[in-house]
Amino acid sequence: LLMLPPVLYEWLRKHPLPFRIADASKGDRVIFLLSSAILTVVMGLLIPSAVINASPEEFVSVVDFHTPLRYVLQSFLLAAGTFLVWLNVFYYLASPAARRIFSLATAVAAGSAVVDYMFFGRHYGNMSPMLQYDAFEQSGWWECLLNLAALAALGGLVVFLGRRKKQAVLRAVCVAVCAALTGMSCFNIVSIQSVFAGMNAADSDGISKGNIGFPLDTEGKNVVVIMLDRGIGDFFPYLLHEKPELREQFAGFTYYPNTISYGNTTLSASASLYGGYDYLPSEWHGATILQRQNEALRVMPELFDGNGYDVTVCDPSLAGLRWQPDLSIYAERPSIRTFITKDRFLNQYSPEAAFQLLSRNFFAYGFFRSSPVILHATFYNSAQYNQSSKLSGAQKVTDLYRASGGFDGTTPHFTGAYSVLKNLPGITGIRSEGRGTFLMISNDATHDVAMLQEPDYEPANAIDNRAFEENPPVRYAADGSRISFSTPLQMKHYQCNMAAMLRLGKWFGYLRENGVYDNTRIIIVSDHGKGLGGLTGQRFDDSEEYAVSGAGDVMSFKPLLLVKDFGSTELTVDDTFMTNADTPSLAFAGIIDQPVNPFTGRVISQEGKNVPEHFIALPAVYSPRDYTGSEKAFRDVTWVGFRGTDTADLSAWRVIGDRLP
């Protein structure tokens, strides 16, 4: 691109235009400066601040506790250096006539950047804090052509207004656009800082001081609830068949394949997992979403604490409706130990290097989002953003078998969760006091997925699984059923579910060696599944309308549920109909008679699933950042209904719509 101007100059020198281009005037200079300012604000200020404002807490790490506005500042400085400094250098090096062309071209670029960002490329789906989309797909030709037509029309309008007699109008438009964009950016910045202000430094230390740790007692009864976010229940038989050692490690567990959740996101599905049937999304009973989430997270810890158990809570999901949990919801019970474990074992990369890279990529992301749609795939570059360094925050997946880049070969978000599972033996304290313990911990290793190196399913800087895979890769279960992957997203979810099970299996071996496995009840449960394009053939609605949300895919609502009771020794399968809202009653069984929810006054039991139809919520607005705390219902909900007790019966499922019957 940089070679085009001298080539054009040489061509014009030999083939001069039949008309003379007027020299740049003071008005052209003003238009150029205003256009440069617009480019700076759009790429360096508005776009980065909008991304962060969507979920500020996701850009704050407990190992590097700083305001996420530093990313905005860095990207703004990069944009200012590019458009306000270097662009001016080239402008002044140009001839007076070329400066007029320069000013109009910059105005066209500024207008195109605004139009591209505001109206195009808005369908790429969910994006991680490393600025990586779950499944990026280049826009179709129709959108590319529509975008080019819009930009051509805009360019013609700018050139028309750039005429001497119309320049005042163009200058006024530039001033108005620049002011509006700056105002939007300031709103985002204030909103981000207000969220960060509510995250005090105690959040970075997990409120409880000292090293993370929890006790298990060799003489008392221990109850452990592990919530694996987005753990997929249907994968478990295939994991066992591929890794037979898991059968021995998971001896004593019962696998419940016939299990449903009441949502397809953490926001809609986790409250009922933690609190039981009082917290179904269809049964809010007048409380706000914030109140319900916090109440549900307190039910099991407070009941166990009130019955003499030592209680530890780690990473309670969306506590305070925040991605980084607000541990102060347990402040009324100081005997409950609380920790944030995610990212606390990230020693594999420099926080400063990560900060510099992400700051650079924020500017590059702004460049990508404000460019013509036809160039999006090139500028996105598989979330590498054409980074020349080998150090890249996002893993670049080449195909089903190969990947490279990222921190520790994956991303900090996967590694930050996975490293907790690796360190479970080190943070488990073994004692013999004869007092019961309760541990509730959530983990995102099955949610923030990345491609891993087989057959050990570990992160690696350069991943190549071609030697371990068939084409296409096929997994089998013990009964001969098969599952085949066709997309990297499917493969990554399977691999990360496998990695989590392997790490938990090693921890169970540690518990056996220390004499606390038999007297420990362990519940491994997920808040929801993930619709992966009809991977297991369980699609009950193939409508394109529900393809993105997964509303028509049973896998979206098939969570993982594994339960090991005291003294159990065999790995078994139980087809009894279950829901993840059974978790509290499973945890209390035989320990607390007639447990009563301290907030609703109702007995906690499994009776809530004995209804003619279950209603599952799929809110289109699922980020807690989009809710102020005063709402009593989710926004833009699609409801799915399930009748009966056999989740494999596709006729029992239906998409109801936006209103409950």
Side-chain angles (χ1 to χ4, degrees):
L1 290 175
L2 292 175
M3 290 302 297
L4 290 179
V7 170
L8 179 62
Y9 174 82
E10 184 65 20
W11 188 87
L12 289 175
R13 192 174 65 83
K14 296 180 179 179
H15 306 84
L17 295 174
F19 55 88
R20 180 180 178 276
I21 299 176
D23 291 346
S25 65
K26 182 178 180 180
D28 292 312
R29 168 66 176 165
V30 172
I31 290 173
F32 169 74
L33 290 175
L34 288 171
S35 301
S36 300
I38 290 173
L39 289 169
T40 300
V41 172
V42 171
M43 298 188 196
L45 205 60
L46 177 61
I47 296 178
S49 66
V51 171
I52 295 173
N53 189 41
S55 185
E57 292 131 334
E58 292 193 85
F59 295 93
V60 179
S61 172
V62 296
V63 298
D64 192 23
F65 196 76
H66 293 90
T67 173
L69 287 178
R70 60 186 186 147
Y71 296 116
V72 179
L73 175 61
Q74 288 286 90
S75 61
F76 175 74
L77 292 176
L78 282 169
T82 301
F83 300 114
L84 296 181
V85 177
W86 280 109
L87 206 58
N88 271 268
V89 171
F90 286 108
Y91 181 85
Y92 277 112
L93 288 175
S95 66
R99 290 177 193 172
R100 174 163 170 75
I101 299 175
F102 213 130
S103 67
L104 290 176
T106 307
V108 171
S112 299
V114 174
V115 170
D116 284 325
Y117 171 63
M118 293 291 187
F119 304 107
F120 295 94
R122 304 175 63 89
H123 60 280
Y124 295 132
N126 186 53
M127 185 175 67
S128 77
M130 296 311 298
L131 309 182
Q132 182 174 30
Y133 291 103
D134 282 349
F136 176 86
E137 291 186 8
Q138 173 64 52
S139 300
W141 281 108
W142 66 270
E143 185 177 1
C144 292
L145 293 175
L146 179 62
N147 175 241
L148 292 175
L151 298 185
L154 175 69
L157 179 62
V158 170
V159 171
F160 174 75
L161 294 177
R163 298 163 60 190
R164 289 281 189 260
K165 295 181 179 180
K166 303 288 184 179
Q167 278 191 349
V169 176
L170 182 58
R171 289 196 297 271
V173 171
C174 288
V175 169
V177 170
C178 191
L181 298 176
T182 303
M184 295 166 63
S185 302
C186 290
F187 174 83
N188 291 337
I189 289 170
V190 171
S191 179
I192 293 167
Q193 188 57 28
S194 66
V195 173
F196 180 74
M199 301 171 64
N200 53 56
D203 286 328
S204 70
D205 198 32
I207 290 184
S208 293
K209 303 299 179 181
N211 295 325
I212 295 173
F214 53 84
L216 293 179
D217 201 295
T218 60
E219 304 298 329
K221 288 186 175 181
N222 309 297
V223 179
V224 177
V225 175
I226 303 172
M227 200 284 269
L228 290 178
D229 198 327
R230 202 194 282 177
I232 297 176
D234 285 346
F235 281 162
F236 191 66
Y238 303 94
L239 304 180
L240 290 179
H241 191 256
E242 181 177 346
K243 295 289 186 181
E245 63 266 31
L246 288 175
R247 291 187 172 275
E248 181 179 347
Q249 293 170 335
F250 279 75
F253 276 89
T254 298
Y255 166 54
Y256 292 95
N258 193 28
T259 303
I260 67 167
S261 64
Y262 288 94
N264 68 336
T265 66
T266 303
L267 184 67
S268 60
S270 63
S272 52
L273 180 156
Y274 289 111
Y277 291 95
D278 286 345
Y279 300 97
L280 300 183
S282 58
E283 302 288 340
W284 285 121
H285 303 302
T288 66
I289 295 174
L290 173 62
Q291 290 170 333
R292 286 302 189 183
Q293 187 71 22
N294 289 348
E295 282 184 14
L297 290 167
R298 292 168 59 186
V299 168
M300 286 190 286
E302 293 197 8
L303 281 175
F304 275 108
D305 182 59
N307 281 268
Y309 275 62
D310 281 346
V311 176
T312 306
V313 177
C314 300
D315 310 278
S317 307
L318 302 186
L321 281 191
R322 287 166 38 175
W323 286 121
Q324 182 164 294
D326 178 8
L327 301 181
S328 68
I329 69 170
Y330 300 102
E332 296 178 4
R333 294 269 188 160
S335 56
I336 296 177
R337 285 182 295 272
T338 55
F339 299 98
I340 293 175
T341 64
K342 187 176 182 180
D343 294 345
R344 290 295 291 270
F345 302 97
L346 270 182
N347 300 317
Q348 295 91 337
Y349 74 99
S350 163
E352 180 62 25
F355 162 64
Q356 293 293 346
L357 175 67
L358 192 54
S359 298
R360 177 262 180 201
N361 282 357
F362 260 116
F363 170 62
Y365 177 81
F367 199 85
F368 146 68
R369 284 288 283 110
S370 55
S371 65
V373 172
I374 198 170
L375 298 176
H376 278 189
T378 300
F379 290 154
Y380 176 65
N381 187 221
S382 300
Q384 304 298 296
Y385 299 100
N386 297 286
Q387 171 66 257
S388 61
S389 170
K390 293 182 179 179
L391 179 65
S392 173
Q395 184 185 63
K396 182 177 181 179
V397 177
T398 306
D399 51 35
L400 281 174
Y401 315 99
R402 292 173 292 175
S404 60
F407 294 105
D408 194 35
T410 57
T411 69
H413 299 280
F414 170 78
T415 310
Y418 181 63
S419 60
V420 176
L421 300 180
K422 290 177 67 174
N423 282 276
L424 281 176
I427 60 178
T428 305
I430 307 299
R431 70 183 192 191
S432 300
E433 297 180 3
R435 185 179 179 185
T437 71
F438 173 70
L439 168 67
M440 187 174 83
I441 181 172
S442 71
N443 189 273
D444 291 341
T446 49
H447 184 280
D448 299 332
V449 295
M451 189 164 286
L452 305 175
Q453 181 62 52
E454 301 169 0
D456 295 327
Y457 292 91
E458 288 283 348
N461 290 321
I463 292 171
D464 189 341
N465 292 325
R466 287 175 293 181
F468 304 97
E469 295 286 359
E470 302 174 16
N471 191 12
V474 177
R475 263 75 177 182
Y476 292 89
D479 62 0
S481 59
R482 52 180 280 167
I483 189 171
S484 180
F485 306 122
S486 58
T487 70
L489 190 63
Q490 294 172 348
M491 177 68 81
K492 288 191 289 185
H493 275 84
Y494 179 87
Q495 290 180 339
C496 290
N497 274 261
M498 175 69 87
M501 293 299 106
L502 290 173
R503 280 296 163 186
L504 287 175
K506 291 181 179 180
W507 183 52
F508 299 154
Y510 174 82
L511 300 185
R512 287 186 176 94
E513 293 172 3
N514 288 274
V516 292
Y517 187 77
D518 290 339
N519 64 315
T520 300
R521 172 182 289 163
I522 304 173
I523 301 171
I524 304 173
V525 60
S526 60
D527 49 353
H528 56 86
K530 174 69 174 177
L532 293 171
L535 187 59
T536 56
Q538 292 184 294
R539 292 186 67 91
F540 59 91
D541 193 318
D542 290 320
S543 303
E544 185 176 344
E545 177 183 0
Y546 306 123
V548 175
S549 67
D553 193 335
V554 176
M555 247 179 119
S556 297
F557 329 113
K558 291 289 292 295
L560 178 68
L561 180 59
L562 294 162
V563 181
K564 188 202 80 69
D565 214 341
F566 304 115
S568 57
T569 58
E570 299 295 327
L571 175 60
T572 60
V573 178
D574 190 335
D575 287 320
T576 300
F577 174 66
M578 303 288 285
T579 83
N580 57 4
D582 292 329
T583 301
S585 61
L586 291 169
F588 296 137
I591 295 176
I592 303 176
D593 293 331
Q594 293 290 302
V596 175
N597 186 319
F599 305 103
T600 66
R602 298 179 179 179
V603 174
I604 298 172
S605 72
Q606 298 185 27
E607 290 300 316
K609 66 185 176 187
N610 298 322
V611 294
E613 186 169 18
H614 301 267
F615 300 114
I616 301 167
L618 287 73
V621 182
Y622 56 84
S623 171
R625 181 71 179 87
D626 294 319
Y627 294 88
T628 63
S630 61
E631 295 90 349
K632 293 185 177 181
F634 299 124
R635 296 202 296 270
D636 302 327
V637 177
T638 298
W639 292 95
V640 169
F642 170 70
R643 292 179 176 271
T645 59
D646 183 5
T647 59
D649 180 9
L650 298 185
S651 66
W653 295 87
R654 64 170 178 149
V655 177
I656 297 173
D658 60 357
R659 292 183 181 273
L660 287 173

